[in-house]
Amino acid sequence: MPQIPDSVTILIENASLQSDDTELDYRIYSLNQELKPGDSLKIEFKVSRITRGFENEVSFTQLTQNGSFFNNSDILPSFGYDESVEISDKNKRKKFDLPKRLKMPLLDDNDLATRKIII
């Protein structure tokens, strides 16, 4: 989600909202019917960011009147699990009784998905 959205509306056809954590901007939707191979699903979302009044410096530069550059993750909602927001500090993980987090995949791990290789 955008870092400081003013409003976010997500509509997923044939789905219902199961959980809405407004503190963490995290939502869980449940599909009314499972998706089969080759199926598609329409998802609409509206995200707004409104600057009120005059700022001493521009606080949101991703979208401007004379040109824009943004990373998808700065503007758009993400889907699925995002381990980049996990607690990474080993002491905090221990405090919350979380398992140790591997910093690197095991040498004998042949699963390319766990190696985070961007091709």
Side-chain angles (χ1 to χ4, degrees):
M1 293 289 177
Q3 294 172 354
I4 310 171
D6 289 313
S7 73
V8 176
T9 304
I10 300 175
L11 299 171
I12 302 175
E13 70 179 16
N14 299 318
S16 57
L17 181 64
Q18 297 298 310
S19 177
D20 187 4
D21 186 330
T22 55
E23 184 179 341
L24 297 175
D25 285 332
Y26 182 79
R27 299 175 186 176
I28 297 175
Y29 290 85
S30 177
L31 300 179
N32 298 336
Q33 273 187 317
E34 66 182 36
L35 284 178
K36 295 184 172 73
D39 282 352
S40 63
L41 180 67
K42 183 177 180 181
I43 300 173
E44 292 182 33
F45 54 90
K46 296 178 185 176
V47 179
S48 67
R49 173 76 170 96
I50 301 168
T51 303
R52 292 174 178 84
F54 296 97
E55 298 181 312
N56 290 331
E57 61 183 54
V58 179
S59 62
F60 187 74
T61 59
Q62 287 87 341
L63 297 174
T64 62
Q65 291 178 347
N66 63 354
S68 299
F69 172 81
F70 61 89
N71 293 314
N72 290 352
S73 61
D74 291 340
I75 304 295
L76 306 175
S78 60
F79 301 93
Y81 185 77
D82 183 3
E83 71 178 25
S84 71
V85 295
E86 282 185 1
I87 297 172
S88 58
D89 181 86
K90 65 179 181 179
N91 295 321
K92 285 183 183 177
R93 290 186 70 80
K94 188 173 184 177
K95 176 182 174 183
F96 292 108
D97 197 30
L98 297 171
K100 288 184 178 180
R101 191 168 177 215
L102 294 175
K103 293 184 181 183
M104 298 281 291
L106 301 173
L107 289 175
D108 62 347
D109 191 350
N110 290 323
D111 183 9
L112 294 179
T114 63
R115 293 185 172 268
K116 297 189 187 236
I117 296 174
I118 299 174
I119 298 174

